[in-house]
Amino acid sequence: MTATIETMLARSSIRAYTDEKLTDEEIILLKKAALSAPTAMNRNDQRFVFVTDGAVISKVEQEVIAGVKAKGDTVFLERILSRGGKVAYDAPLLVMIFGKPSRYAGIDAGIAVQNLALAAKSLELGSVILGMPSIAFEGPGAAELQKELGVEPEFGFEIAIAIGHPATEKTPHEWDESHIIEL
């Protein structure tokens, strides 16, 4: 078995991180992993926002909470608040992927986020792929937040990933081979 396949099979979603910051080398390798992801028609219509500033991560989390409150989803709000209002689980790095609207923007972002998840695992880091930050880019503060992040207004949020040194271990999910159809 190759190291790549071993990494894929060993990866799991980690939702608890140590206080240890990522090294410059780790961040450079993660950036290369994001940029190496293929895109439809080689358009490369993505922006990768690498956030290590805890105040910025907290602002994204607060915008998610405000958006959930505005939607009146009290069950979801209680779930977020029960974990201290954390969306990125105190990870030292939050990478948000934005794409120019197109038929393939979500697919391209999905490929890139998986590259990041596998790169993180290969660096012995933990990660969890996040859709919840999308709420921060749907509410009244969305345009201002996106501007603060340096992302052009024509780009839309697609997906995010929290990355850090794991404070816990998690066994990967068991596979259900009934999801595979063979012809």
Side-chain angles (χ1 to χ4, degrees):
M1 187 179 319
T2 69
T4 302
I5 292 175
E6 286 177 3
T7 300
M8 284 186 226
L9 299 179
R11 197 211 69 77
S12 62
S13 296
I14 300 297
R15 291 177 174 85
Y17 302 92
T18 68
D19 292 337
E20 185 179 354
K21 302 291 181 201
L22 275 65
T23 66
D24 290 341
E25 181 182 354
E26 289 167 331
I27 292 174
I28 287 167
L29 290 170
L30 291 166
K31 288 176 181 177
K32 287 180 179 182
L35 292 171
S36 73
T39 60
M41 297 178 278
N42 199 30
R43 292 173 69 173
N44 297 303
D45 285 339
Q46 296 175 315
R47 297 295 181 262
F48 300 96
V49 181
F50 278 66
V51 182
T52 57
D53 183 331
V56 175
I57 294 171
S58 180
K59 183 166 188 164
V60 170
E61 291 173 329
Q62 291 307 310
E63 287 295 325
V64 169
I65 291 169
V68 172
K69 282 181 183 176
K71 290 180 180 186
D73 190 340
T74 56
V75 173
F76 192 27
L77 179 62
E78 286 304 315
R79 182 173 153 212
I80 296 169
L81 295 178
S82 73
R83 57 181 184 231
K86 300 297 178 179
V87 173
Y89 302 96
D90 289 320
L93 173 64
L94 177 64
V95 181
M96 292 175 280
I97 302 173
F98 292 79
K100 252 188 200 174
S102 77
R103 167 185 247 172
Y104 301 108
I107 295 168
D108 290 343
I111 294 167
V113 82
Q114 182 68 355
N115 265 22
L116 285 163
L118 294 175
K121 182 64 178 173
S122 74
L123 294 169
E124 298 181 1
L125 300 170
S127 69
V128 62
I129 297 171
L130 304 166
M132 209 181 321
S134 65
I135 299 167
F137 299 97
E138 296 168 356
E144 184 60 33
L145 178 59
Q146 190 159 327
K147 183 178 179 182
E148 286 178 38
L149 295 173
V151 179
E152 301 95 322
E154 66 268 22
F155 286 78
F157 175 87
E158 297 295 336
I159 198 160
I161 185 170
I163 301 173
H165 295 275
T168 187
E169 290 185 29
K170 183 179 171 200
T171 305
H173 293 287
E174 291 193 24
W175 310 310
D176 180 351
E177 293 192 24
S178 72
H179 295 273
I180 295 182
I181 300 170
E182 293 184 59
L183 301 176

